Amino acid sequence: MKSNGRLIIFTLILIILATACKYFFGPELSWSGFSPVIAIALFAGFIMKQKDISFMLPLLALFISDAVIQFLYTQDMFPYAGFYGGQWKNYAVLLISTLIGWGLKGRRRSGLIAGGIAAPTVYFLVSNFMVWAASTEAVYAKSIGGLITCYEAGLPFYKNSLIATLLFLPAILITYNYITRKKAVLTLA
């Protein structure tokens, strides 16, 4: 199979994985945030040579999984909508993970661990700050205490995204290397 065909199959695998995780884990509050999307964004930064393509892969996986969830929601087959107001902010914050991958590109395996910790941490810090700052309701007070409360409320999601990223990133890299090189190895290049 040619290289482009392999990349298409690999991209489809990532989209199916993101959609399946959102479908099975999203409705369960205790599992919410357990998703491969941050790992996909990191992977794209680590591996993709073309920077514009590296942004497209995680956005494509997230968008298609959101579209599937939206369709299921409109058919009363899923408890919440795939698309909602302000969602573009999550897409933008996700791309920070791709930038982290760029910064660690070509580094040793320790970069995988560093990226696997840094990307969900930055996502958690930035996204929860945006929730606190944009909150028009009296959910979080506009004070340091309110910000801390907002971060505390997001800790279960952070834990799940951190665990998911540390699990999915090596699996994605091994799968990519197997599909593109016929070697099941954990390498960045």
Side-chain angles (χ1 to χ4, degrees):
M1 183 183 300
K2 292 189 179 191
S3 179
N4 286 342
R6 291 182 189 149
L7 289 176
I8 290 169
I9 289 171
F10 178 72
T11 301
L12 290 174
I13 290 169
L14 293 180
I15 291 168
I16 291 167
L17 180 63
T19 305
C21 284
K22 192 173 287 189
Y23 181 80
F24 290 110
F25 299 126
E28 274 302 312
L29 192 58
S30 62
W31 282 95
S32 194
F34 190 83
S35 168
V37 175
I38 293 175
I40 293 169
L42 264 173
F43 163 81
F46 282 142
I47 296 293
M48 304 286 178
K49 290 178 173 63
Q50 296 172 298
K51 290 185 178 183
D52 55 342
I53 300 292
S54 70
F55 281 124
M56 290 180 63
L57 180 62
L59 291 176
L60 183 66
L62 186 56
F63 180 78
I64 291 175
S65 68
D66 285 341
V68 169
I69 294 300
Q70 181 67 31
F71 173 77
L72 294 172
Y73 174 74
T74 62
Q75 303 302 308
D76 292 326
M77 297 170 67
F78 200 74
Y80 60 83
F83 296 117
Y84 51 88
Q87 187 172 13
W88 66 271
K89 295 174 190 174
N90 289 333
Y91 282 63
V93 175
L94 175 66
L95 295 180
I96 295 171
S97 298
T98 304
L99 293 173
I100 291 169
W102 288 357
L104 297 171
K105 186 183 290 253
R107 303 269 163 63
R108 300 182 186 272
R109 288 188 185 165
S110 60
L112 292 175
I113 296 169
I117 293 170
T121 301
V122 169
Y123 186 90
F124 165 74
L125 293 171
V126 173
S127 64
N128 279 284
F129 180 83
M130 290 186 332
V131 166
W132 171 78
S135 180
T136 56
E137 303 167 12
V139 177
Y140 302 111
K142 297 296 184 222
S143 64
I144 295 298
L147 179 60
I148 291 170
T149 301
C150 183
Y151 281 126
E152 287 173 346
L155 284 174
F157 305 104
Y158 170 61
K159 177 193 75 158
N160 290 340
S161 69
L162 182 64
I163 291 168
T165 302
L166 291 171
L167 290 174
F168 284 120
L169 183 59
I172 289 168
L173 281 164
I174 289 169
T175 303
Y176 173 79
N177 286 323
Y178 181 75
I179 288 173
T180 60
R181 298 187 199 162
K182 300 293 183 202
K183 291 185 201 174
V185 294
L186 184 62
T187 57
L188 296 173

